[in-house]
Amino acid sequence: MTSKGARGMSEGSVRSRRSASEAGTPGASSAPGDDDGRASGAVGQGDDPATDAGSDGQDGRPGADDATVVVGEGRVAALVREALGGRGPERAPAESNDLAAPWVEGARTVVVVAPAGEFGIRALKGETRRAFLVEQARRVARAAAAHGVRQVVAVTSAMVHGASADRPVVEDAEPVSPDAAGFVADLVAFEEALADELDLVDEPVLLAVLRPAVVVGPEVDTILTRHFEAPRLLVVKGSERPWQLVHTDDLASAVRLVAAEGRSGAFTVGALDEHGEPDVVTPAELVERTGLATVSLPAATAFGAAERLHRVGVLPSPASDMAFVVHPWTVSAHGLHEAGWAPAWSSAECVDVLMDGVRGRIAVGGRRVGGRDAAALGAAGAAVALLGTAAIWRQARRR
């Protein structure tokens, strides 16, 4: 299914072709899934393009938009689907008795987007989010194999590699974290189910897995973007957290490149600077760009508060989710950059897009500043930041 090998390095600056004001204004939605078990899995690393593909696609290569189907729920999936031609269902349907599958007929590439901590997505009644994602992965794999699809491209998140205070830059070749929990473990289980199911098919189907940094875009609302809805940004002492962000436009262009060239393997997705290093916004730059002050807590205090909120049912996700807003997990994206991928949005511009969306939601509902609003935020980092800010205000009033 997937061979192992090529991964490369390239240098180049982030070239902006659009302004943040073009991104639109997001709206609010409801909470993400709440399964907090563990899973592990692995996908082979980025390979050279397939050389024996047909020529019905863009530039004579497979993966052109008119031969691409995008499956997935949530705003990120919707934006990728729109960018790649608009074809595909939110959910892969169960196979019919006669094996007909109009949604995949004629496709060379099926893109399946797993929601990474997005709000507004619910599992079917009686299902956990993980069970639903695993079944979707299996349905996509079976449909691809049965209908002559040459390639499956999965979009998950670089969060599957984990985050920690001393975490080095994530390389394409790295395995997923064995300690994944919450919605991140759901993503790992999804990747594993897709790879396992494709390993069972008679005719080889290429599998590429794209794992982006923090994704932003019009109306994208995730556990990570909610971090910026608290009155202050949470930081934990002893951890420097640079922010690398990816616009959905650039995520779609990365999918398009991988599909068009028939590539397989695992690829991290993120912009690089002119020195070939991850393009990031530092904590100081983040404060200046967002206009938000920080609240700094010891790691034990912050994670302890998040765990208590989860235990009493205030937060749907475990405290471990908070690691992804207070610890680094920037990516190298060497494979994509060597293949010629050039993102249009820098991380700084993505912060502007994110804040435009946050301001839009605050303009409607008001900034969340009360103790009751911790549950409304639904994200551990933002909730702890909110409670920490409330404590600071109480201390100030007593003086």
Side-chain angles (χ1 to χ4, degrees), residues 282-299:
T282 67
E285 292 168 341
L286 191 68
V287 168
E288 181 178 357
R289 203 162 192 102
T290 63
L292 296 173
T294 61
V295 55
S296 180
L297 298 173

Side-chain angles (χ1 to χ4, degrees), residues 95 127 130-140 142 193:
E95 299 93 330
E127 281 188 297
R130 182 170 311 162
F132 174 72
L133 287 176
V134 166
E135 179 58 26
Q136 285 290 291
R138 290 171 176 162
R139 289 182 183 181
V140 166
R142 290 193 292 263

Side-chain angles (χ1 to χ4, degrees), residues 80-133:
V80 171
R81 183 182 297 111
E82 180 181 353
L84 297 180
R87 182 184 175 191
E90 287 192 343
R91 296 178 173 182
E95 299 93 330
S96 59
N97 291 335
D98 60 2
L99 298 182
W103 66 273
V104 77
E105 290 290 350
R108 286 188 176 274
T109 299
V110 173
V111 180
V112 55
V113 182
E118 284 193 68
F119 288 85
I121 299 174
R122 299 281 187 181
L124 297 175
K125 185 176 181 180
E127 281 188 297
T128 65
R129 170 54 46 180
R130 182 170 311 162
F132 174 72
L133 287 176

Side-chain angles (χ1 to χ4, degrees), residues 55-72:
S55 59
D56 291 345
Q58 174 180 307
D59 298 325
R61 296 173 296 181
D65 290 358
D66 61 356
T68 300
V69 171
V70 179
V71 181

Side-chain angles (χ1 to χ4, degrees), residues 18-67:
R18 298 182 57 183
S19 67
S21 62
E22 295 177 85
T25 302
S29 56
S30 55
D34 59 2
D35 189 18
D36 65 351
R38 298 173 184 267
S40 62
V43 177
Q45 304 317 309
D47 295 348
D48 290 328
T51 57
D52 59 344
S55 59
D56 291 345
Q58 174 180 307
D59 298 325
R61 296 173 296 181
D65 290 358
D66 61 356

Side-chain angles (χ1 to χ4, degrees), residues 182-273:
F183 72 90
V184 178
D186 298 344
L187 298 178
V188 174
F190 168 84
E191 289 187 8
E192 188 176 54
L194 188 59
D196 287 348
E197 196 71 27
L198 287 174
D199 277 342
L200 299 176
V201 304
D202 295 329
E203 293 296 326
V205 177
L206 298 172
L207 173 62
V209 179
L210 271 59
R211 297 166 175 162
V214 180
V215 177
V216 303
E219 298 182 32
V220 171
D221 184 19
T222 70
I223 282 176
L224 300 175
T225 63
R226 290 263 177 120
H227 179 62
F228 295 84
E229 291 192 31
R232 297 193 182 204
L233 298 173
L234 175 67
V235 297
V236 297
K237 296 175 182 178
S239 182
E240 182 87 354
R241 201 279 193 236
W243 284 80
Q244 183 185 37
L245 302 96
V246 179
H247 196 284
T248 50
D249 289 351
D250 292 328
L251 178 57
S253 72
V255 172
R256 182 182 289 112
L257 181 147
V258 168
E261 297 194 353
R263 291 180 177 262
S264 63
F267 300 88
T268 54
V269 187
L272 302 182
D273 63 21

